[in-house]
Amino acid sequence: MPAMPTDPSGYDFPPLAKVLEGYQPVISTSDGQPGFYNLWRREKDQGLLAQLPKNFAQQKHFFALTVASGEAYAGLQSGEVYAYWAQYGNKLALIEPNLKIRSTGDDPSKASVKRLFTDRVLLEVPILTIPQNQGPVIDLDALLIGQAERFFGPQVAGIRKDLLKIKTAKTFPENIEIGLEVPVEDGKLRTLHYSISLMKETSGYQPRVADTRVGFFTTSYTDFGKFTPDEARTRYINRWFLEKADPSLKLSPPKVPIKFYIEHSTPVRYRRWVKDGLLIWNKAFERIGIVNAIEVEDQDAATNKNMDKDPEDVRYNFIRWLNNGVGTAIGPSRTNPLTGQILDADIVLTDGWIRHWWAQYNEFIPQVAIEGMSPETLEWMWQNPQWDPRVRLAPPEERSKILSARAAGAMPALGGHPIAQGLGETSTSTQSSPALIGKNEYEGLMGRFSQKMGLCMAPNCKTSGLAMMEMELAISGPESVGLAAGDQQLDGIPEAFIGPLLIDLVAHEVGHTLGLRHNFKASSVYTYEQINSADFKGKKPFTGSVMDYIPINIVAGNDPAKKGDFGMISVGPYDDWAIEYGYTLEKDLKPILARVAEPELTYATDEDSIGPDPLARRYDFAKDPLPFAENQIALVKEHRAKILDKFVKDGDSWSRARRGYQMTLRTQTQALSMMSSWLGGTFVNRDKKGDKNGRNPVEPVPVDMQRKALAFCLANSFRDEAYGLTPDLLAHMTVDKWYENEMEVLESPSWPVHDQILGLQASVLSSVMNPVTLGRVLDNEMRIAADQDAVTLPEVLETVRKAAWEDLDAFQDAGQYSPRKPFLSSLRRNLQREHIERLIDLATTTRATSASQKPISDLASGQLAELKAKIEGLAGKPNLDAYSKAHLREAVTRISKALDARYLLK
């Protein structure tokens, strides 16, 4: 019997042959050479053994994780682990190195950091044997399935290890690919794919320092060997390693191009548009001397072309298509956590944004209403749910459940703002993905070192625009938007429309895989008139960047000369500039950054979208968004007037009328939300001192723009005619009842008109009267010299009061008022009651969280006193109808008691 092998720790291990009994070697290389890990597989119980490289202790290994099947987002990168193996006697520990705190200073500094900021043990596994002069052997399926929750988190809770099936087991010289199918807690089968590769230094790659003026994802660490704040935090941009094949050429192909494969699941009818969306970026690289930087090939099941390449394999970049009915597109990447070099990228597209589900209304409209609100605003609204659009715009049958859930739990971080998921280390471990992964559906892009703030919702505005386009085509025909009646259709949509939009969307996600972050200010480069002019249409991109969330450009009216492109026709000037900064082969970057103040290069990203800059927001459009907002309202009016006659076709369910109206209400909400953010706004610029034509970092929005925005919001939400409702339309706004659709089962067949309209009016009141917005108005007064015009708190409160109560000036002593023809309509009475409640909330608050709340409270109290005096004069009029009389008398009583309570509270 052969002697037991021993290791330096003195442990005896069985011979390798004994351990491998019943196992067969896995050979994946064409020449039969050993792979990165040697693999052995046993079919009878789906066992899998792995032997680490002989010199594993000197290596760093990279674990790329993907849920490859069994969930709606299967194929989306699920995280990453950068770690090394260390032997502890008869065990191996997988250890994550400390990457966040380092020192490049003197030796004492390095020694201190090494002692204080240690590495972290992620997990341990027993060693089965260590053959002489070889690497240790471990039970690989026990590691990857037995400790799957350490890698994938709670999404694989309750995993059934006894029902394991090996789907993939491949080993190559520098990586292994393992796919394991197992049922999880609910019994659903999921395939967990691990791509484990050797992390090597790339010869010649130089990290590039990030700059706040250009938006790249970053890989960063704190250097305690440096002492000034600007130096202590080191940030490298995430980018691919691109260099010329022939440096002597002005235009040269790259040594190694960025190559994508279009997965075979992508519908053939869409592939050419997807390919164009990839290759559109090559023009930007040509500007820095690299031609054909990006290449693309199809994967084809019919011909077996490229079918040997696994999308989960870190060696290959894929565009994946998911038929999951969800409107999503996302472009994650994985990087070397020491340098920021991008190693692997995949783009996930889904069919849901093309299906443009109407049911999205109930989920989407509350989110539209809070778009651009700061965490401070959302935190305040969470504590004051009567102000919160997430409550007020929820279906009536859902509100009690929402309020009960809030009462039972703590307020989420930042009031529930999505940005909380990507800041700090709120959803994952301190450096990568194991152990502390949260439950966000895009967890693979959250809280990891390779792509902070990677959540991308670009398809949302495309989904909304597609639904609007369907209404336009159904009501007015393709000629109304400049399309030919006989155009090729793709899934019921003209190819001339959907194809370019797919290019636009893919280009956005490719930008992410190149390292670029969102640029939500890019849509503010050109005026709405320029965008829809002959100078732009088909000739130049109408925003600064494809990295914005750009609405589909559908123009109301029948004048073709005033209708521009539906979407971006190429990458924008900001995109060219960002690629130049990130990938130029020139050493001196200062001349590139010196262009920051050029209007077409303006930049603001996710963090800016929660601030005071009204141009740094999602789903807005144009340098002067008021004409765009007015166009949206014009489309709403056009569509509402023809819902019954044109939109609902013979044979359609009348539920289509309800869905169509709700679509117009969503568009209206979006326009109101966009314009409300201009009140109290300030433009924020990223210029640094000394930049050419440098701008002030903070500039108040011009007062005339603030006033126009406020007037737009009030006119298009407070007045009854803003909603286009008629008895005939309301009589047809029903819902289909299908038992399997929970939301439709709960909905009332008669549309809750007062709840829905008041919900939108309440949301507008929340937007313009919340303490954060009013505080910004007060702060802006200090930013403007006293001899110059400024929007003031008294002006804002008075403007809102007049709009809510303008009916009082129209009372006629000889008027014939009755319950059927009241002086104040039911919608106006609801609005006025809501306005009084808002003023009372502001006047009687006892929790001052900012210095602005005292003047706000005093002014609100004064408004209430003035309202009371005005209402009292009308409440006793003999010819008032019963509804209006009761409403006005109650208003007087409510105000009186509130004013009394205000002084008691003091």
Side-chain angles (χ1 to χ4, degrees):
M1 181 175 179
M4 297 277 194
T6 61
D7 78 311
S9 305
Y11 286 90
D12 293 331
F13 293 104
L16 179 60
K18 181 70 174 176
V19 173
L20 295 181
E21 285 182 358
Y23 285 86
Q24 297 297 318
V26 174
I27 306 296
S28 305
T29 55
S30 59
D31 57 5
Q33 293 300 309
F36 177 42
Y37 287 17
N38 289 326
L39 298 180
W40 295 272
R41 177 174 179 170
R42 188 165 60 192
E43 290 296 332
K44 69 176 183 180
D45 60 357
Q46 298 293 285
L48 196 61
L49 303 183
Q51 182 179 41
L52 273 61
K54 177 182 178 181
N55 58 340
F56 73 92
Q58 287 78 48
Q59 296 176 340
K60 296 293 191 297
H61 294 187
F62 189 76
F63 291 64
L65 315 173
T66 307
V67 178
S69 70
E71 64 179 25
Y73 295 98
L76 178 65
Q77 293 179 4
S78 298
E80 59 216 27
V81 180
Y82 173 76
Y84 61 91
W85 290 103
Q87 183 178 352
Y88 290 83
N90 62 349
K91 296 179 181 180
L92 286 179
L94 187 64
I95 302 177
E96 188 177 56
N98 164 49
L99 299 175
K100 291 298 180 184
I101 308 294
R102 312 177 201 175
S103 174
T104 59
D106 54 24
D107 290 342
S109 168
K110 292 177 180 178
S112 177
V113 166
K114 185 176 181 180
R115 180 171 62 89
L116 297 176
F117 302 98
T118 56
D119 299 344
R120 187 168 70 99
V121 175
L122 300 176
L123 51 84
E124 63 183 55
V125 294
I127 297 173
L128 301 182
T129 189
I130 305 180
Q132 191 170 8
N133 295 321
Q134 297 183 42
V137 177
I138 60 173
D139 188 332
L140 190 60
D141 57 319
L143 165 67
L144 301 182
I145 293 301
Q147 305 204 51
E149 283 194 64
R150 295 293 187 98
F151 292 101
F152 287 92
Q155 63 181 324
V156 297
I159 202 167
R160 292 286 305 276
K161 308 177 185 65
D162 57 323
L163 297 179
L164 166 67
K165 183 177 182 180
I166 301 172
K167 301 287 287 186
T168 304
K170 300 178 182 180
T171 180
F172 304 101
E174 294 184 355
N175 66 296
I176 65 171
E177 304 297 321
I178 307 296
L180 304 171
E181 182 186 78
V182 284
V184 292
E185 195 167 39
D186 62 359
K188 183 176 288 188
L189 292 169
R190 289 188 175 179
T191 299
L192 308 183
H193 190 100
Y194 295 82
S195 186
I196 307 174
S197 57
L198 175 65
M199 181 70 79
K200 300 187 301 182
E201 290 188 12
T202 303
S203 176
Y205 181 83
Q206 294 295 321
R208 181 156 296 176
V209 175
D211 191 282
T212 58
R213 290 165 285 188
V214 189
F216 277 83
F217 293 111
T218 61
T219 295
S220 62
Y221 64 92
T222 298
D223 189 343
F224 280 176
K226 298 176 180 177
F227 291 90
T228 63
D230 289 341
E231 291 182 329
R233 190 68 174 175
T234 298
R235 298 178 180 88
Y236 298 136
I237 67 171
N238 292 353
R239 62 178 184 144
W240 297 87
F241 183 30
L242 281 179
E243 54 183 344
K244 289 182 175 181
D246 186 345
S248 68
L249 296 176
K250 183 177 180 181
L251 291 174
S252 168
K255 279 186 178 180
V256 180
I258 304 168
K259 191 165 189 174
F260 278 90
Y261 297 89
I262 299 176
E263 191 178 18
H264 67 92
S265 60
T266 306
V268 173
R269 60 190 178 276
Y270 292 126
R271 288 185 193 177
R272 74 180 181 95
W273 301 104
V274 171
K275 187 174 297 186
D276 286 348
L278 278 160
L279 299 178
I280 202 172
W281 282 94
N282 275 339
K283 291 181 180 179
F285 286 100
E286 285 180 20
R287 292 174 180 270
I288 61 169
I290 301 177
V291 294
N292 298 322
I294 299 174
E295 295 181 355
V296 58
E297 287 189 24
D298 287 328
Q299 185 187 55
D300 196 300
T303 64
N304 211 37
K305 180 183 178 183
N306 291 317
M307 293 301 293
D308 60 323
K309 298 175 176 64
D310 295 327
E312 295 84 11
D313 191 329
V314 294
R315 296 176 297 169
Y316 306 116
N317 311 304
F318 264 81
I319 289 190
R320 315 195 68 176
W321 188 281
L322 309 181
N323 289 287
N324 62 6
V326 182
T328 304
I330 204 157
S333 62
R334 296 182 173 111
T335 65
N336 183 323
L338 296 175
T339 65
Q341 180 188 352
I342 298 176
L343 308 170
D344 166 44
D346 292 314
I347 294 169
V348 173
L349 305 174
T350 68
D351 63 344
W353 72 279
I354 294 176
R355 294 177 188 269
H356 49 273
W357 294 108
W358 293 94
Q360 196 183 28
Y361 165 83
N362 285 328
E363 300 175 6
F364 191 60
I365 197 169
Q367 296 304 315
V368 168
I370 66 169
E371 176 60 42
M373 289 186 179
S374 68
E376 183 183 5
T377 304
L378 295 180
E379 287 174 351
W380 192 85
M381 288 182 175
W382 189 277
Q383 297 168 338
N384 297 271
Q386 70 276 18
W387 288 68
D388 197 334
R390 293 169 293 186
V391 175
R392 301 304 299 268
L393 285 169
E397 63 273 8
E398 291 289 307
R399 290 178 199 150
S400 295
K401 183 168 68 174
I402 293 172
L403 292 173
S404 297
R406 286 193 178 190
M411 181 173 66
L414 303 184
H417 197 288
I419 200 171
Q421 300 167 7
L423 293 177
E425 308 299 340
T426 56
S427 65
T428 63
S429 69
T430 56
Q431 291 170 31
S432 58
S433 60
L436 298 178
I437 294 180
K439 293 185 178 180
N440 183 276
E441 61 186 10
Y442 304 113
E443 183 60 52
L445 301 185
M446 292 301 200
R448 58 186 190 151
F449 52 73
S450 62
Q451 201 160 325
K452 296 279 187 177
M453 286 309 299
L455 178 64
C456 184
M457 301 301 292
N460 273 6
C461 60
K462 298 288 188 286
T463 299
S464 177
L466 278 166
M468 187 185 297
M469 175 59 81
E470 185 185 52
M471 288 194 75
E472 182 70 21
L473 294 174
I475 288 170
S476 304
E479 293 85 356
S480 68
V481 291
L483 297 171
D487 277 352
Q488 170 77 43
Q489 300 279 306
L490 296 182
D491 297 320
I493 307 169
E495 184 176 24
F497 172 71
I498 194 65
L501 291 185
L502 189 54
I503 291 177
D504 187 336
L505 184 61
V506 171
H508 179 100
E509 304 308 335
V510 173
H512 283 320
T513 67
L514 297 175
L516 298 185
R517 297 195 60 189
H518 290 131
N519 181 0
F520 292 131
K521 214 166 182 177
S523 57
S524 68
V525 171
Y526 306 114
T527 67
Y528 194 60
E529 183 180 10
Q530 287 176 304
I531 288 168
N532 291 293
S533 69
D535 292 336
F536 273 65
K537 187 172 184 178
K539 298 174 183 175
K540 62 183 296 185
F542 55 44
T543 75
S545 172
V546 294
M547 302 312 297
D548 204 338
Y549 289 178
I550 307 165
I552 296 174
N553 184 32
I554 304 173
V555 182
N558 297 314
D559 188 351
K562 295 182 179 180
K563 295 179 184 286
D565 293 311
F566 297 121
M568 291 285 278
I569 62 172
S570 71
V571 298
Y574 167 83
D575 302 318
D576 291 334
W577 182 58
I579 291 298
E580 182 182 11
Y581 177 76
Y583 290 90
T584 183
L585 304 177
E586 299 294 331
K587 301 296 185 183
D588 187 3
L589 303 178
K590 291 180 180 178
I592 299 172
L593 293 171
R595 300 175 55 204
V596 63
E598 293 179 17
E600 292 182 328
L601 307 183
T602 188
Y603 165 65
T605 193
D606 293 80
E607 301 92 279
D608 302 291
S609 68
I610 63 173
D613 192 334
L615 293 175
R617 62 172 291 138
R618 305 165 180 87
Y619 317 122
D620 66 340
F621 201 38
K623 184 177 183 179
D624 50 346
L626 185 56
F628 170 64
E630 290 170 340
N631 176 77
Q632 299 300 91
I633 297 300
L635 284 170
V636 163
K637 291 178 178 178
E638 286 181 9
H639 292 170
R640 283 175 180 167
K642 299 177 181 178
I643 285 176
L644 299 182
D645 293 338
K646 299 289 187 180
F647 186 60
V648 183
K649 308 294 185 183
D650 288 346
D652 287 343
S653 166
W654 283 111
S655 63
R656 186 171 168 85
R658 180 164 173 163
R659 292 175 178 177
Y661 184 83
Q662 290 182 157
M663 178 61 224
T664 67
L665 200 62
R666 180 173 65 182
T667 302
Q668 183 176 359
T669 303
Q670 200 158 350
L672 293 167
S673 172
M674 177 181 68
M675 294 314 301
S676 66
S677 64
W678 285 74
L679 182 64
T682 51
F683 299 135
V684 179
N685 301 307
R686 289 174 173 256
D687 310 26
K688 295 184 178 181
K689 186 175 181 179
D691 283 338
K692 184 180 179 181
N693 301 318
R695 300 155 295 188
N696 289 333
V698 177
E699 300 174 340
V701 170
V703 294
D704 64 326
M705 191 63 217
Q706 293 188 58
R707 288 175 179 139
K708 289 178 180 178
L710 180 57
F712 173 88
C713 291
L714 302 181
N716 289 287
S717 63
F718 281 16
R719 295 172 182 166
D720 292 7
E721 58 268 25
Y723 299 97
L725 290 167
T726 65
D728 193 26
L729 181 57
L730 287 170
H732 291 87
M733 287 169 57
T734 187
V735 63
D736 291 328
K737 292 287 185 177
W738 294 105
Y739 187 76
E740 68 271 15
N741 190 326
E742 179 182 348
M743 291 305 300
E744 288 188 349
V745 168
L746 296 175
E747 284 186 272
S748 170
S750 56
W751 192 65
V753 54
H754 288 94
D755 266 326
Q756 292 293 304
I757 301 306
L758 181 58
L760 182 51
Q761 292 173 329
S763 295
V764 172
L765 284 169
S766 296
S767 296
V768 301
M769 290 182 67
N770 73 79
V772 176
T773 295
L774 295 179
R776 287 174 176 173
V777 171
L778 186 63
D779 286 346
N780 271 351
E781 293 184 45
M782 289 286 290
R783 296 188 177 98
I784 300 172
D787 60 348
Q788 297 179 23
D789 189 18
V791 175
T792 65
L793 276 181
E795 177 187 347
V796 172
L797 292 174
E798 180 65 11
T799 300
V800 175
R801 184 191 68 79
K802 284 182 176 179
W805 295 88
E806 61 186 0
D807 319 66
L808 301 188
D809 296 327
F811 178 80
Q812 297 177 7
D813 287 321
Q816 300 296 312
Y817 304 115
S818 69
R820 291 299 296 131
K821 294 184 178 181
F823 168 56
L824 298 170
S825 72
S826 58
L827 299 182
R828 293 291 291 179
R829 295 195 302 269
N830 286 344
L831 167 67
Q832 291 166 0
R833 191 178 302 113
E834 190 76 27
H835 178 245
I836 286 176
E837 293 298 328
R838 299 308 170 89
L839 287 175
I840 290 173
D841 286 345
L842 294 176
T844 59
T845 182
T846 58
R847 293 182 299 175
T849 57
S850 71
S852 64
Q853 286 192 338
K854 177 57 177 169
I856 292 171
S857 175
D858 292 343
L859 287 167
S861 176
Q863 287 268 307
L864 286 168
E866 291 178 16
L867 259 179
K868 178 187 173 188
K870 187 150 188 153
I871 295 170
E872 281 178 326
L874 284 177
K877 294 288 184 178
N879 61 329
L880 268 181
D881 60 279
Y883 280 129
S884 301
K885 184 179 294 185
H887 165 67
L888 293 175
R889 285 178 173 173
E890 171 61 20
V892 171
T893 303
R894 185 80 179 90
I895 292 172
S896 298
K897 292 185 178 296
L899 291 176
D900 291 343
R902 183 174 189 265
Y903 290 100
L904 289 174
L905 290 170
K906 289 179 178 295

